[in-house]
Amino acid sequence: MTIVVVMEQVPDVVEELAIAPSGTDLDRDAVSYVVNEYDDHALEEALLLAEATGDEVVAVGIDTTGELDQALYTALAKGARRAIKLTGDFEGTWLSTRAAARLLVPVIQELEPRLVLTGVQAPDDLDGQLAPTLAALLGWPHASVVIGSQLVDGAVQVRKELWGGMTMTLELELPAVLGVQAARQAPRYVPISRVRQVMREASIETRDVETPGDLAPAIMRLRFPEEAGQAEILTGSASEIADRIIELLRARGLL
Amino acid sequence: MLTTSERIAFVLIALASLLLTAHGVSRIVRAIARGQGRPNWGIFFRRVIPVSLDILLQRPIFRTRPFVSLLHAGVFFAFVFYGLVNIFDLAEGFIGFSTLHRGGIAALYNLIADLLSVAALAGMLGLLIRRFGLRPFRFNERVLLLPSVRFGISRDSAIVGGFILLHVGSRWIGQAVRVAESGRPDWSQPTASLVATLFHGWNEAALTMASHVTWWLALGLILAFLPYFPYSKHIHLFMAPLNLILREARPLGQLEPPTSSDGTLGAERLEQLRWYQLLDAYACIMCNRCQDVCPAHGTGRALSPAALEINKRYYLNRNLAAFAGGATSPPLLEIATSKEAVWSCTTCAACVRICPVGNRPMLDLIDIRRALVNRGDPLDPNLQSALESLARYGNSFGKPARQRARWAKELPFTIKDARKEPVEYLWFVGDFASFDPRMQENTKTVAQLFHAAGLDFGILYEDERNAGNDVRRVGEEGLFEMLVEQNLAALEKAQFRAIVTTDPHTYNALKNEYPAYGFRVPVYHYTEVLAELLERGALRVQQPLRAAVTYHDPCYLGRYNRITAAPRRIIRALGLELREMPRHGENTYCCGAGGGQIWMDSGGQERPSEQRIREAVALGDDLRYFVVSCPKDMAMYSDAVKTTGYEGRLTVIDVARLVASAVRIDGLEPESIPVESEAR
């Protein structure tokens, strides 16, 4: 059976980001891309599930950057059986999560997986909407903030992180969609020689997709956060600190 | 003279013994031949004479433990001469040939045999007393040892030692009996003649009996021992020379690419090791010298290079028929060493250098790492993120390549971009010197010294990548190759006469590993360049320094590449008093950072760097500076001085900072090192 992992590339924030002269976009020539950290965990969790059950992992992604091959080859080198990239005219655009989900659904339906895993969130999806949107469009159950999973008797048991250090275990009927926060273990290292071997021997399947009309909200201005004030650490006894807090709040007209 | 029946018996026993021995030897040869690759017999003839000379002079043995080596030399020289003695004794038994009471060359032969017999007996007794009385051989309790090894080592030593004592002792006493038979002392056999006085008063029949018994104990014993010989540590006397002779002329700092068999890169099982790594097991004499110098074992970690070889040997001996016949061995991590041990090697090569029989246990560890990395075995998380960062950014710091030369912006001058204009020296700065904030001051100092001396130099700026020395040694061959390709592409853009490096690890990679990829350029360490600049007056000492210092040789500089003089020339040129630590030069002790350890969590009790600081502190209360010439050393020892509580007492300082203080460069704050005028 099949487990689909949806992967996305995002700008590498280790590198210095620059804003394009238009003022509404990153300078894409200067950006380099990495796999979304959570998608890496989704892939690891999928591989762990597949190793236990003999399922086939298929990595799927929308090539909005033109550089998705690298990420998909790495996924293949780590143990995915197939890799599919969706190509279209995405140049100079940022795809909204909703649009991305709509592009992905037909491929997922075609693959008939019993599970779809993706990262719980991404820098361009800080609300973590991709997994629930996919689930809604597919009409399948869904869990997000997943930190572990297990396939048992035609269902998937997932551990999901709540608040205050609490976790919840729930069981979903298959097929289901999971938004993964962290795999059971750290994403594996894949030796470069294996990636290179995969690049020589394996191939990535390509599907052309129509570019959806409602790509993204229109960006009016993009800028770096401006430096704002500094943190002050309050010291002293509890009542001194309380007095100081009240004073600060009063000074700002909040009390 | 033997009786006829004795002669027939001897010939029959000899035939049986030789057949059994040949059977054992052929199994061992077939077992070794299961290793990867084949020896280059072409070098055998080129090397057999020089290496044999080395062995005859006992050079590999005298590298350490002088007294024990002397005992060994006694046994060794006797053994070599006994080749002749045994032939003459055979002739005596079979045809009655005798050198007794003869003059000339026969007397000389007698004298040498007589004295060497005593040397062998004394040497063997000494070695046995040491092994069984002083019990100097201990493995720490974390070391993996096959159950058969624990008892096996003692049993093997006792059998071999007992054999030598009995064989040589019987021959010696046998000569005394013959002297007694002749009725007068043989002055060419002084010690035998002395022993002969013990037989004073024995009748002829008793003496004849004694002469037969001792002959059989001396020569018959060989026949009894011979079938055991291939399985005993005594086989080292053939395997060790073979190991030394057949060693390819490869620099210590150059690894062979991993072997590939049954889809495994590197070695998971015995048969995936190279032939010489299997030969190592039979060359090993279990002297444990490698373990004594191993920084991992010395800090309580699970690694013992000796145990690795001994385990291999005992596994092979116990399963020889099956293995020689083609059976698959269990994983090396079950029979030879543990995963913890594999990952605690610093690749300092101390074991390789010290081994008297030419073994290279470090290579086994690297091959096991290669297999682990390629199989996707979980890595130490810090190591994994270092490798991922190296693959992505070309450095282990997780910093963008563009920031590599950021330190250079703080200089009052611009360093030439070697990609854009020709330079004489291309300075390959290295990761730690470029990115580690603690090291950047030193890096700037080196730049200022080069600049002040008028050196024509440049750097590769963001195109430089980690040279890959330690990446290769953690077993990530593919990443190493990628880094080599990236660096070669960058170097191709530049025009230069020679390379100068800050980091000894970089030095080793560029000097010894890159030539295999077609890169051949003179490579210098910055200490070599600074020494030369001082000596030809391009840098002038304005203010001689007055302090007692010690110098730590980095493994990849001192041991791997034998660059030990240049840093010392600098230190003396500055007026400093150099005090050597007991372990220095090629015999240096590892700081614990090499072979990728700097990226891993060390699980040892005490770190090697802390032991090293204590070694330096013991040189005297007035020793102020611990001088280093490697950015990794700067990091390791700065930490170690703090954790050992010697901060304030001992200062870790880069040799370039000392030069800058004595040379006095404008705009460069000198260190507060006592200078000549203050001291007087």
Side-chain angles (χ1 to χ4, degrees):
Chain A
M1 278 172 277
T2 304
I3 299 174
V4 164
V5 181
V6 177
M7 305 188 73
E8 183 194 11
Q9 277 184 314
V10 297
D12 183 358
V13 291
V14 167
E15 305 279 357
E16 287 154 73
L17 297 176
I19 290 170
S22 68
T24 60
D25 198 355
L26 286 176
D27 179 359
R28 298 209 189 196
D29 295 336
V31 169
S32 66
Y33 296 97
V34 287
V35 172
N36 175 35
E37 184 190 345
Y38 299 104
D39 293 348
D40 221 9
H41 278 269
L43 174 65
E44 181 64 33
E45 188 66 24
L47 292 170
L48 292 171
L49 285 169
E51 277 163 9
T53 59
D55 280 33
E56 184 169 278
V57 173
V58 182
V60 177
I62 307 172
D63 192 10
T64 53
T65 61
E67 295 174 17
L68 189 68
D69 284 7
Q70 187 60 40
L72 293 179
Y73 279 128
T74 304
L76 288 169
K78 285 185 174 184
R81 294 285 176 76
R82 291 170 67 191
I84 302 172
K85 74 171 172 184
L86 309 183
T87 55
D89 182 18
F90 301 112
E91 208 179 315
T93 59
W94 298 111
L95 211 53
S96 75
T97 302
R98 179 176 284 267
R102 270 204 232 117
L103 290 177
L104 288 162
V105 161
V107 188
I108 293 171
Q109 281 168 334
E110 172 206 319
L111 291 167
E112 295 180 354
R114 56 169 168 170
L115 266 182
V116 175
L117 277 71
T118 188
V120 66
Q121 58 173 206
D124 62 350
D125 180 23
L126 288 174
D127 303 334
Q129 290 302 300
L130 182 61
T133 310
L134 281 174
L137 293 174
L138 290 160
W140 297 351
H142 145 264
S144 267
V145 208
V146 169
I147 54 170
S149 62
Q150 204 183 347
L151 283 160
V152 193
D153 304 330
V156 61
Q157 283 179 359
V158 301
R159 281 201 305 133
K160 174 181 160 69
E161 195 169 87
L162 297 176
W163 48 89
M166 278 198 294
T167 60
M168 173 167 78
T169 304
L170 52 147
E171 195 170 287
L172 307 184
E173 277 176 26
L174 298 176
V177 182
L178 307 181
V180 177
Q181 160 99 3
R184 273 169 272 169
Q185 64 185 47
R188 63 196 63 189
Y189 181 75
V190 57
I192 300 294
S193 57
R194 193 173 317 148
V195 179
R196 287 185 160 190
Q197 187 188 353
V198 161
M199 288 171 79
R200 280 195 305 271
E201 292 169 5
S203 60
I204 292 169
E205 300 161 45
T206 306
R207 308 279 161 86
D208 276 325
V209 290
E210 283 292 312
T211 315
D214 55 340
L215 277 176
I219 297 168
M220 296 169 69
R221 190 182 155 210
L222 192 68
R223 59 189 167 118
F224 288 107
E226 276 152 26
E227 200 135 332
Q230 282 163 334
E232 183 189 344
I233 292 169
L234 306 180
T235 54
S237 69
S239 65
E240 280 164 9
I241 291 173
D243 287 344
R244 178 85 183 111
I245 290 173
I246 289 166
E247 189 185 311
L248 284 168
L249 292 175
R250 285 221 171 96
R252 280 160 181 72
L254 295 167
L255 268 183
Chain B
M1 276 282 273
L2 301 174
T3 63
T4 308
S5 49
E6 273 180 313
R7 273 179 255 176
I8 293 169
F10 188 88
V11 170
L12 290 177
I13 298 171
L15 281 174
S17 168
L18 285 172
L19 271 174
L20 278 171
T21 312
H23 179 64
V25 170
S26 90
R27 284 211 294 207
I28 290 177
V29 169
R30 275 183 291 140
I32 293 172
R34 286 203 63 205
Q36 306 291 311
R38 284 291 166 263
N40 174 4
W41 292 99
I43 62 174
F44 183 88
F45 300 100
R46 190 150 37 83
R47 284 174 56 85
V48 64
I49 290 172
V51 173
S52 300
L53 266 177
D54 255 10
I55 296 171
L56 280 174
L57 295 172
Q58 295 279 282
R59 274 207 195 116
I61 291 95
F62 272 97
R63 262 177 224 144
T64 177
R65 297 190 189 163
F67 182 65
V68 176
S69 302
L70 199 67
L71 297 177
H72 178 271
V75 179
F76 169 78
F77 291 130
F79 166 80
V80 172
F81 199 72
Y82 257 57
L84 197 62
V85 169
N86 288 333
I87 290 169
F88 283 172
D89 288 357
L90 263 183
E92 178 170 14
F94 276 77
I95 57 172
F97 170 83
S98 171
T99 55
L100 198 66
H101 297 306
R102 295 245 203 114
I105 194 102
L108 185 66
Y109 159 79
N110 279 340
L111 183 66
I112 296 174
D114 185 69
L115 295 180
L116 282 178
S117 297
V118 177
L121 289 172
M124 202 61 237
L125 265 177
L127 291 171
L128 284 172
I129 288 170
R130 173 164 183 272
R131 191 169 277 262
F132 290 100
L134 308 178
R135 300 199 162 272
F137 304 105
R138 291 212 176 82
F139 303 98
N140 79 44
E141 67 278 8
R142 293 164 79 176
V143 171
L144 178 123
L145 273 190
L146 288 183
S148 53
V149 167
R150 217 169 273 279
F151 180 66
I153 296 177
S154 307
R155 194 190 53 189
D156 195 17
S157 301
I159 293 176
V160 172
F163 162 72
I164 293 174
L165 280 184
L166 228 91
H167 170 62
V168 176
S170 302
R171 199 270 169 186
W172 186 51
I173 292 169
Q175 287 308 104
V177 170
R178 283 168 191 80
V179 170
E181 272 180 322
S182 75
R184 60 195 169 92
D186 177 355
W187 298 114
S188 69
Q189 302 191 66
T191 65
S193 297
L194 199 67
V195 177
T197 57
L198 294 177
F199 300 107
H200 193 70
W202 284 35
N203 65 37
E204 198 169 315
L207 284 174
T208 306
M209 185 59 157
S211 129
H212 281 248
V213 168
T214 50
W215 190 95
W216 275 96
L217 276 177
L219 291 172
L221 195 69
I222 297 181
L223 303 183
F225 177 74
L226 218 47
Y228 174 70
F229 167 78
Y231 308 101
S232 77
K233 66 185 206 173
H234 214 40
I235 201 180
H236 85 282
L237 57 91
F238 287 124
M239 297 306 200
L242 206 57
N243 206 20
L244 290 164
I245 291 167
L246 287 177
R247 187 190 265 210
E248 304 262 356
R250 180 185 303 283
L252 182 55
Q254 184 188 78
L255 292 177
E256 286 183 78
T259 56
S260 171
S261 53
D262 320 322
T264 304
L265 279 186
E268 263 173 12
R269 297 166 195 280
L270 273 174
E271 64 270 22
Q272 290 163 342
L273 292 171
R274 284 171 229 268
W275 65 271
Y276 59 77
Q277 291 169 298
L278 297 179
L279 178 60
D280 280 354
Y282 283 100
C284 178
I285 188 63
M286 315 186 199
C287 67
N288 283 27
R289 293 176 186 211
C290 51
Q291 180 182 295
D292 287 355
V293 295
C294 175
H297 192 270
T299 48
R301 302 193 69 183
L303 173 59
S304 161
L308 168 72
E309 298 297 357
I310 299 170
N311 283 334
K312 273 157 64 184
R313 198 247 224 33
Y314 272 79
Y315 177 81
L316 283 170
N317 273 347
R318 294 213 139 201
N319 303 275
L320 200 55
F323 186 79
T328 302
S329 92
L332 287 164
L333 289 179
E334 282 170 25
I335 55 169
T337 188
S338 63
K339 203 185 277 189
E340 191 207 333
V342 166
W343 286 116
S344 57
C345 175
T346 67
T347 70
C348 75
C351 57
V352 177
R353 200 194 85 85
I354 204 76
C355 181
V357 298
N359 284 352
R360 288 169 282 178
M362 178 183 83
L363 299 185
D364 293 28
L365 299 167
I366 293 174
D367 279 335
I368 297 173
R369 287 177 174 190
R370 286 167 159 173
L372 287 171
V373 169
N374 277 289
R375 196 179 66 196
D377 198 72
L379 299 176
D380 177 291
N382 294 333
L383 172 62
Q384 180 171 340
S385 62
L387 293 178
E388 283 165 350
S389 168
L390 283 159
R392 184 157 182 87
Y393 309 112
N395 66 71
S396 60
F397 286 78
K399 295 268 176 67
R402 241 169 289 171
Q403 286 178 17
R404 182 172 279 271
R406 191 170 264 191
W407 58 271
K409 286 187 188 154
E410 293 159 35
L411 291 169
F413 53 91
T414 308
I415 299 181
K416 280 187 185 174
D417 186 337
R419 298 166 300 177
K420 295 186 181 138
E421 52 185 316
V423 291
E424 191 183 356
Y425 286 95
L426 179 89
W427 182 13
F428 204 101
V429 185
D431 275 16
F432 272 77
S434 298
F435 286 105
D436 192 314
R438 292 172 295 180
M439 260 38 86
Q440 284 168 343
E441 278 312 303
N442 293 336
T443 311
K444 283 187 269 177
T445 303
V446 173
Q448 283 182 298
L449 288 169
F450 285 171
H451 182 72
L455 198 75
D456 178 22
F457 71 103
I459 59 178
L460 288 173
Y461 283 86
E462 67 268 22
D463 278 351
E464 182 188 304
R465 295 280 178 279
N466 183 298
N469 192 66
D470 301 272
V471 171
R472 190 169 216 194
R473 281 158 183 79
V474 297
E476 220 315 19
E477 187 76 4
L479 179 55
F480 167 70
E481 283 173 4
M482 189 172 104
L483 292 168
V484 173
E485 285 162 24
Q486 290 170 342
N487 277 318
L488 290 182
L491 289 163
E492 216 160 81
K493 287 189 239 167
Q495 271 186 54
F496 53 93
R497 183 184 71 75
I499 284 193
V500 55
T501 74
T502 323
D503 197 321
H505 298 241
T506 308
Y507 176 92
N508 185 66
L510 295 174
K511 171 127 182 160
N512 296 319
E513 305 274 33
Y514 279 45
Y517 298 84
F519 179 75
R520 277 166 226 278
V521 171
V523 184
Y524 300 101
H525 187 243
Y526 74 104
T527 55
E528 293 179 289
V529 174
L530 287 179
E532 207 241 291
L533 293 174
L534 281 166
E535 280 154 16
R536 74 171 152 90
L539 290 174
R540 277 180 205 287
V541 174
Q542 309 289 336
Q543 190 66 72
L545 308 174
R546 274 288 169 268
V549 307
T550 191
Y551 171 72
H552 166 76
D553 291 277
C555 301
Y556 278 93
L557 200 65
R559 180 155 37 240
Y560 274 91
N561 292 295
R562 298 178 182 184
I563 297 176
T564 53
R568 290 176 170 79
R569 268 155 49 205
I570 298 175
I571 289 168
R572 296 210 181 86
L574 303 181
L576 294 161
E577 181 206 333
L578 176 64
R579 274 188 221 160
E580 296 287 8
M581 288 181 275
R583 296 175 282 192
H584 64 270
E586 279 185 66
N587 193 25
T588 187
Y589 190 60
C590 181
C591 75
Q597 292 300 329
I598 199 152
W599 303 317
M600 295 181 228
D601 261 342
S602 105
Q605 304 138 353
E606 191 186 27
R607 286 181 295 174
S609 53
E610 293 168 341
Q611 296 175 333
R612 189 66 161 162
I613 289 297
R614 291 184 217 286
E615 190 177 345
V617 165
L619 293 177
D621 287 341
D622 57 334
L623 188 92
R624 283 287 161 273
Y625 293 96
F626 186 93
V627 184
V628 296
S629 59
C630 166
K632 292 187 180 84
D633 282 336
M634 192 72 204
M636 297 302 284
Y637 290 120
S638 303
D639 288 348
V641 162
K642 288 189 194 110
T643 52
T644 49
Y646 288 112
E647 200 176 12
R649 155 107 190 260
L650 192 64
T651 305
V652 180
I653 190 166
D654 191 284
V655 69
R657 300 286 292 169
L658 291 174
V659 175
S661 297
V663 170
R664 300 273 150 122
I665 295 178
D666 286 345
L668 195 63
E669 193 64 29
E671 301 279 336
S672 55
I673 299 164
V675 293
E676 198 157 6
S677 52
E678 291 163 28
R680 279 179 185 170

